[in-house]
Amino acid sequence: MNATIYIVKDENACRLGLDPAVQLWEPEFLSRTWIRRVTVSLPDGFYVAEGAYGESLIYRGNEHYELSSNKDEEPVIIDHLNNGAYIPLTILSEGWD
């Protein structure tokens, strides 16, 4: 399964040296200057589904997983069942239509 992911590193994050936020929705009130839009291939068993409050989330089975980025600011899934190990995501394309 493929998913579109938004990697957000705004001016404050850049100035303070913070890691980017990685999410499944485009921020509404932030310039695209601060956003990388990538299409990724999710590993086998992972899928995107709607959460309890209508937001898109990453799941494997009934377990919800968090997105993050590695030291190179590439998107990963945090495997909370494996001591927080990163599961890398393969970027298929990047950019805006």
Side-chain angles (χ1 to χ4, degrees):
M1 172 179 217
N2 296 341
T4 300
I5 293 179
Y6 300 88
I7 303 166
V8 182
K9 189 164 185 178
D10 65 11
E11 179 183 7
N12 290 327
C14 289
R15 186 177 56 236
L16 297 173
L18 302 174
D19 293 333
V22 182
Q23 56 196 47
L24 291 165
W25 59 92
E26 181 179 355
E28 290 182 37
F29 302 105
L30 186 63
S31 167
R32 287 184 173 173
T33 301
W34 306 107
I35 304 168
R36 280 179 62 202
R37 177 179 146 169
V38 297
T39 300
V40 298
S41 174
L42 296 177
D44 289 341
F46 285 91
Y47 60 94
V48 176
E50 189 174 295
Y53 299 102
E55 74 282 25
S56 294
L57 300 170
I58 299 281
Y59 287 92
R60 180 168 58 185
N62 291 327
E63 294 283 332
H64 165 244
Y65 287 76
E66 296 293 328
L67 293 169
S68 189
S69 63
N70 63 17
K71 64 180 178 56
D72 298 319
E73 297 186 354
E74 299 298 322
V76 297
I77 296 173
I78 300 173
D79 188 351
H80 62 277
L81 298 177
N82 189 18
N83 296 319
Y86 288 167
I87 301 170
L89 296 172
T90 301
I91 295 175
L92 302 173
S93 66
E94 182 169 350
W96 301 93
D97 296 339

